[in-house]
Amino acid sequence: MFKTADMLNIFQKYRGDAIVVPGRGGRHWINISQKPKLDVPLGDPAMGGHCAFAFGLAMALPHRKVVLFDSEGDLQMSLGVLMSVAEQKPANFYHFMLDNECYATTGGQPVPNAKNVQYDLIAKGSGYPRAFAFDELDAFAKALPDILEQKGPVFVAMKVVPEVENEAIGQRKRWMTRTRTQAINDLRQELRIA
Amino acid sequence: MNDMVTTQHLSPETVLAQMKKHGVTHVVWLPDSETNWLYLLMQAEPTLTLVAVSREGLAASIAAGLAAGGKKPLILIQNTGLMESGDSIRGWLLGLNIPVVLMVGLRGWTRHGVTQDTAAVYTERFLNAFNISYYLVESDADASRISVAFEEAEKTNRPVAVLVGDEYHGFMTK
């Protein structure tokens, strides 16, 4: 397992002009990203939908890389999206998934069969042409440049350290600095989308 | 004979024409028995991309991503799936101010006698609970209501539903 922030710091070096949907990694990415207008930090509009949203964005903007940091809890809730992605084959879609083996925001309870799911194999079996899995940061860092050069859709599962939150939701520090609609509007403005 | 078909039933050509009129680029959909007649026409239409989903809630978040990226999606699902999609509609469509038309097969709908199918019984109540406007279309004569739905979605930046209260009766003869 490795820390999400450490992984994102490495990713940042290779981000280029990709649109980033940081998903559950948003709280870290917001302090790491050097191109916030190309980021779409949405927090959690409704659990299970991050991949579908980023997939839609990738289909809408086929000439721009779209990188998603999904989570295993979200993906378990919407596994069927893998088949939809694989059918459409968006060549610009890079689907990274943070697997901390638990629901960290609700206190760290394990997701179903937490330690025994091979998400890369599920992605591959769903039709993703390329899928990888990492549990060591060095191996991830070494492979990342090549992964981002490959034609999408690409799936990358990563074992990350849980960052469990136990405070009541109302007492947690809010990390989002823009509203969801503002983040989308900033992206559209940056890309000159009418 | 053709006049009978075009005035008493909702033909797929009419629905497709509405999609084209309003610039729909992607149809995010899960087949149902009320709107399955659209499939062949949509598949043959080069301006449309069909995005199949395995659960209707995914249609909301996919449509949100498409709209954020500047495309114009339409969601085509059954009322059963509409109700399954509640949290996704709340978070991804209403929460992100997505202007999108949901074309919803109204399973169980009847103008005659007592509605037995709970899918139909709860559909309007569900939409009212989410404060989503809806328009019933049953025949080609209702085509203008589809336009109203598209226009309202754009004007309000909200999802608007079209309830399809008719099933397949055959394509129009050219």
Side-chain angles (χ1 to χ4, degrees):
Chain A
M1 281 189 170
F2 45 83
K3 292 181 179 176
T4 298
D6 292 343
M7 178 276 295
L8 290 172
N9 270 307
I10 292 168
F11 166 74
Q12 187 276 136
K13 298 174 191 169
Y14 301 100
R15 181 245 182 99
D17 287 328
I19 296 165
V20 175
V21 180
R24 307 270 169 191
R27 66 180 62 249
H28 297 297
W29 182 246
I30 203 164
N31 298 315
I32 294 169
S33 174
Q34 296 175 2
K35 296 175 180 173
K37 289 191 174 180
L38 290 175
D39 297 335
V40 196
L42 298 175
D44 184 21
M47 190 167 177
H50 292 283
C51 175
F53 175 84
F55 165 48
L57 200 55
M59 285 191 290
L61 301 166
H63 303 299
R64 178 76 69 143
K65 281 183 181 173
V66 174
V67 176
L68 163 70
F69 290 96
D70 204 357
S71 82
E72 96 283 15
D74 282 285
L75 190 59
Q76 281 206 10
M77 203 172 266
S78 302
L79 271 179
V81 74
L82 295 174
M83 293 76 169
S84 295
V85 171
E87 183 173 60
Q88 297 295 328
K89 299 181 180 66
N92 59 331
F93 186 49
Y94 297 81
H95 185 176
F96 293 76
M97 192 205 69
L98 310 168
D99 178 8
N100 62 9
E101 302 179 353
C102 70
Y103 299 111
T105 56
T106 63
Q109 304 88 343
V111 301
N113 206 20
K115 295 184 180 298
N116 302 301
V117 182
Q118 291 181 272
Y119 295 96
D120 57 322
L121 295 186
I122 295 174
K124 195 90 176 175
S126 299
Y128 275 58
R130 283 160 283 281
F132 306 88
F134 297 97
D135 56 13
E136 292 183 6
L137 192 60
D138 287 347
F140 171 80
K142 192 174 177 184
L144 183 61
D146 181 56
I147 287 172
L148 290 171
E149 286 304 314
Q150 296 194 31
K151 185 179 176 185
V154 177
F155 183 88
V156 182
M158 302 173 290
K159 287 286 187 184
V160 298
V161 178
E163 297 173 49
V164 175
E165 296 180 86
N166 279 313
E167 298 91 351
I169 287 178
Q171 294 173 354
R172 293 177 193 172
K173 185 181 175 187
R174 295 183 63 82
W175 57 265
M176 289 174 67
T177 57
R178 296 176 287 171
T179 64
R180 292 169 180 142
T181 50
Q182 187 61 53
I184 289 172
N185 289 341
D186 287 348
L187 174 73
R188 292 168 64 97
Q189 195 171 16
E190 183 73 5
L191 299 181
R192 297 194 174 97
I193 298 171
Chain B
M1 191 69 173
N2 280 348
D3 287 343
M4 290 289 285
V5 170
T6 57
T7 56
Q8 292 187 353
H9 302 300
L10 182 63
S11 62
E13 291 87 349
T14 299
V15 177
L16 188 70
Q18 287 289 325
M19 290 185 196
K20 293 177 73 173
K21 176 183 174 184
H22 292 282
V24 171
T25 59
H26 294 73
V27 177
V28 191
W29 79 308
L30 203 154
D32 69 84
S33 54
E34 284 73 34
T35 55
N36 57 7
W37 34 258
L38 275 168
Y39 177 59
L40 292 176
L41 282 183
M42 293 191 303
Q43 199 179 34
E45 174 52 51
T47 63
L48 285 181
T49 298
L50 303 187
V51 183
V53 295
S54 48
R55 196 157 183 125
E56 290 87 346
L58 292 170
S61 34
I62 290 173
L66 284 162
K71 298 300 182 184
K72 188 153 184 177
L74 176 135
I75 293 172
L76 182 63
I77 56 178
Q78 193 178 54
N79 50 357
T80 49
L82 173 78
M83 289 183 265
E84 187 277 329
S85 306
D87 194 47
S88 295
I89 290 171
R90 176 199 62 78
W92 293 101
L93 297 183
L94 292 167
L96 299 185
N97 301 334
I98 302 298
V100 66
V101 168
L102 300 107
M103 186 159 283
V104 179
L106 191 48
R107 197 192 83 180
W109 162 253
T110 176
R111 281 190 178 277
H112 310 289
V114 177
T115 300
Q116 302 287 351
D117 189 337
T118 55
V121 169
Y122 292 120
T123 298
E124 290 179 70
R125 300 178 196 182
F126 176 93
L127 290 166
N128 287 329
F130 282 77
N131 197 25
I132 294 174
S133 295
Y134 53 89
Y135 298 89
L136 176 66
V137 295
E138 298 174 285
S139 72
D140 286 346
D142 296 326
S144 63
R145 306 190 96 199
I146 301 175
S147 278
V148 170
F150 275 109
E151 289 159 9
E152 183 173 328
E154 286 298 322
K155 186 177 174 185
T156 60
N157 280 324
R158 290 175 60 87
V160 175
V162 170
L163 302 179
V164 180
D166 192 22
E167 291 191 78
Y168 175 60
H169 297 280
F171 292 99
M172 286 189 287
T173 306
K174 297 289 182 185

